[in-house]
Amino acid sequence: MAPPGRLYERADTVPGTAPPGPLWHLDARRTCFIGPLTYNAPHQHGAPVFLSGLYGPFGLRIGNGPWRSARTAMIPAGVVHELDIGGNPIGVLYIEPTLEGAHTLAALTASAEEADGALVGRGGEISVMRELWEDAASIDWAGAALDDLLGFGTRRARRAMDPRVARALALLESGTEGAPGVAAACAQVGLSPHHFQHLFTREVGVPYRRYRAWTRMRAAIAAVAAGSNFTHAAHAAGFCDQAHFTHDFRRTFGAPPSWSLQGVRLSGDAARRKAAAHP
């Protein structure tokens, strides 16, 4: 397992193979990365994440707990975790709460044990991620593949979200109010700030401000992946400057953006914007 103190190491290739570049898929409700990694320092996300070791298990540490061996895992939003992948490719899928969040992703694990709020599986849904990684043309069908994968998870984990939280999430997603703050969101859904914060955290897994920061991070990632430089993407997404974006990216992913967003295959909404800008 990874020794303490190491921040992040990138694996450029898997020994003995010549794989295609890492795949990023971004759309309104999903963020997916598939590619080789070595080690990610302790970090936490604003959305739940499903992890899938494409060819074997990976090391996972939840909070200050022991290192565990996992083939799949579901990490709820806001849960600190650390990864040691050993240079192998891994599938990382974040799902927005409007797709029923952690309950959908939990259904993609198998033979799973609970560990400090997370699920650590010995098996689960691996084949779709592996096919996306191995097929250099998968950018053309990644969205449909994720539709099928998440449709399976959603059918197994049907759960209704409180409509007031759903309304706040829809407002964030639409962008019509410029990522409203807590006061504006409370006014839209008719709740006091205290009640709204409690309800939102219960339903989504993280406080409203942290989830709003996650939506801003997704916007910046999409802009960089579509061809913007880090400075322009940071400003466009609402960060004060590139340094703040880089800091928040490390905190969110345990990795610097320069190693995670360059030389990638791009699928989803950002890919369509890039194609339109560079016909």
Side-chain angles (χ1 to χ4, degrees), residues 62-155:
I62 309 297
N64 294 319
W67 280 97
R68 301 171 184 270
S69 177
R71 188 65 191 272
T72 62
M74 188 285 294
I75 315 295
V79 172
V80 176
H81 58 289
E82 188 174 355
L83 296 171
D84 189 3
I85 303 95
N88 297 307
I90 186 171
V92 184
L93 174 61
Y94 310 91
I95 183 174
E96 302 310 299
T98 44
L99 289 177
E100 299 179 325
H103 297 272
T104 293
L105 297 184
L108 303 180
T109 65
S111 302
E113 296 180 350
E114 194 276 336
D116 298 320
L119 287 177
V120 181
R122 295 192 297 274
E125 299 303 312
I126 298 164
S127 60
V128 170
M129 294 285 200
R130 188 161 56 204
E131 290 169 10
L132 285 168
W133 163 246
E134 292 177 348
D135 185 352
S138 63
I139 58 173
D140 297 328
W141 54 272
L146 293 177
D147 285 343
D148 290 343
L149 181 64
L150 293 174
F152 168 77
T154 300
R155 288 190 296 273

Side-chain angles (χ1 to χ4, degrees), residues 12 16 29 86 112 119 140 168 184 210 244-245:
D12 291 312
R29 297 181 177 180
L119 287 177
D140 297 328
R210 176 165 291 173
H244 281 85
F245 166 63

Side-chain angles (χ1 to χ4, degrees), residues 43-62:
H43 58 286
Q44 57 188 151
H45 306 300
V49 61
F50 171 68
L51 304 170
S52 176
L54 303 195
Y55 302 105
F58 54 90
L60 172 64
R61 188 183 187 199
I62 309 297

